[in-house]
Amino acid sequence: MTYLDLYIQIDKYLESKLFFQVVEMKIFDYFHHSTTKEKVAQEMKISIKRLEPLLRVLIKLGWVEKDNEKLINNEKVDKFLYSKSSYYIGEILIIKKELLDFEHIGNLLNGEESKSKRIYDFDRMLDVGAKEIEYFRVDTLIKEAAQLFESESVKSILDLGGGSGLFALELALLYPEAQVRLFDRRSVLDRAKSYIKKRVPLDRLDYQEGDFISDDFGKDYDLIIASGIIDFAYNDVKAFLRKLKDGIASNGYIFLYSASLLKDDALINRELRWLSGRLRSNLVTVSKEEIEHGLEDAGLEVVKKTEDLLYPIWILRRI
C-alpha cells in the first residue's frame, strides 16, 4: 500500500458520505427530467453559487449527466434513486446503512453499544427486503426452479425463514398445484400475511410459526428455500443441514442462499457488512468450509452453483 492508496481511502469515504446524504435529501428527484442549474437552484431555494460545487461533483462522479447546459440523471441512478420510480431503492440503502453502521469502532470493541442498540432490526428489514427480492432476486429463483421441475410435478414447497413471503408467493403462482408453506416467527408471519394479502391472496399458502433450528418443519417437500438463514445454525451446521436433507423428498431440491458462499475475493464485503453485528453481539457467521463439510456429513450434493443479483445460491439434492 502506497501513501496515495491511503489518501484514496479518504476519497472513498467522502464519496460514500456524499452519496447517502444526496439520497436522503432526494437530490436526484430534481434531475429526473432534463433541467438547468438555474431551475434546480430555484426549486431547492438556494443560490446558483452554492449549488455549482455540488453539481460539479455529481457530474464528475457520473451520477448526473450534462449535455450543453442541460442536466439529467444517469439512467441507472434515475431508475433506482428517483423517489417516484417503481424501482426506487433509496429507502433500502438508507435503512441498511443504519443497521450495519458503527459510529466508533472503539466503543464496539469495548462492548459499550451492545446494550443500547438493536443488533439486527428484522421488522425494518422485512419492509425493505420485499423490494430487494422483487427487484433483484425473484427472476433468478423462478428461472432456476422452472429448469428443475415440470409445473404439475411440484406438490409441496417450503420457504424456510421466509420473511416477507414473496418467494413463497411467486413459487405458488409458478406451481398452481403446489401447497406452499411459509415458516417463520409469529411477528414475521403476521407481517408476511398482510403483505401477501395486498398482492395476491392464495388459499394454497400455509403459514407455520416456529424456530427453524429447534422446531419440526415437516418432510417430503419437493423444494425447500433456505435464504439467509444458515448463519443462525452456527452452533451445529451439520445438524441443520441434516435437518434440511430430511425435509426434502427423495427427488427434492434445496435452494441454499448465503453470503458465506461468495467467492473468496468478495468475502471482504460480507465481513464489512457483518462487522458491527459481530462486535455488538459476538455474532458468528458460518464459513463456506463449514457448509461444505456439513453437506458431506448430511449426504447432500451441490448440483449447481449460481447467483441472483445479491446472493450466491447452491442448489442441493440428496446423494
Side-chain angles (χ1 to χ4, degrees), residues 23-149:
V23 171
E24 288 172 351
M25 293 173 65
K26 298 184 178 179
I27 293 292
F28 296 118
D29 285 11
Y30 295 103
F31 302 97
H32 174 59
H33 297 292
S34 181
T35 187
T36 63
K37 63 182 179 182
E38 289 81 9
K39 185 175 181 181
V40 173
Q42 183 180 18
E43 291 173 344
M44 293 182 68
K45 298 179 180 179
I46 61 174
S47 69
I48 294 176
K49 186 176 181 180
R50 285 192 174 276
L51 177 63
E52 283 180 332
L54 174 61
L55 276 180
R56 286 197 295 270
V57 174
L58 296 180
I59 293 167
K60 287 291 185 182
L61 290 171
W63 301 345
V64 172
E65 297 175 350
K66 183 178 180 181
D67 183 9
N68 293 322
E69 297 304 313
K70 295 292 185 178
L71 302 164
I72 194 167
N73 285 331
N74 166 283
E75 183 179 354
K76 288 186 178 179
V77 166
D78 199 65
K79 180 177 181 179
F80 294 112
L81 296 176
Y82 167 54
S83 68
K84 294 181 176 61
S85 167
S86 58
Y87 292 95
Y88 178 65
I89 62 168
E91 182 185 9
I92 296 174
L93 297 174
I94 291 168
I95 290 176
K96 282 205 163 185
K97 170 185 170 292
E98 292 173 358
L99 292 173
L100 302 175
D101 200 10
F102 43 84
E103 294 181 3
H104 197 289
I105 197 72
N107 292 340
L108 289 173
L109 289 170
N110 292 324
E112 294 175 11
E113 288 191 334
S114 59
K115 295 181 180 179
S116 61
K117 291 192 176 183
R118 291 191 65 177
I119 298 161
Y120 199 78
D121 192 328
F122 287 97
D123 292 334
R124 293 188 75 190
M125 286 305 298
L126 189 65
D127 291 335
V128 299
K131 291 183 179 179
E132 281 191 329
I133 290 172
E134 182 176 2
Y135 299 161
F136 306 124
R137 306 184 63 193
V138 159
D139 288 348
T140 302
L141 170 71
I142 297 304
K143 182 187 76 173
E144 295 296 339
Q147 290 176 357
L148 293 176
F149 301 103

Side-chain angles (χ1 to χ4, degrees), residues 208-224:
Q208 182 177 345
E209 174 190 344
D211 181 329
F212 49 76
I213 301 297
S214 58
D215 295 334
D216 177 52
F217 48 70
K219 297 182 182 298
D220 294 323
Y221 295 104
D222 296 303
L223 176 61
I224 293 179

Side-chain angles (χ1 to χ4, degrees), residues 149-183:
F149 301 103
E150 297 292 336
S151 178
E152 63 277 4
S153 69
V154 181
K155 302 301 181 185
S156 182
I157 297 172
L158 173 65
D159 187 1
L160 195 58
S164 67
L166 187 55
F167 274 167
L169 176 60
E170 293 293 335
L171 288 168
L173 295 173
L174 179 65
Y175 298 112
E177 302 298 319
Q179 186 70 29
V180 181
R181 172 170 292 172
L182 183 62
F183 187 102

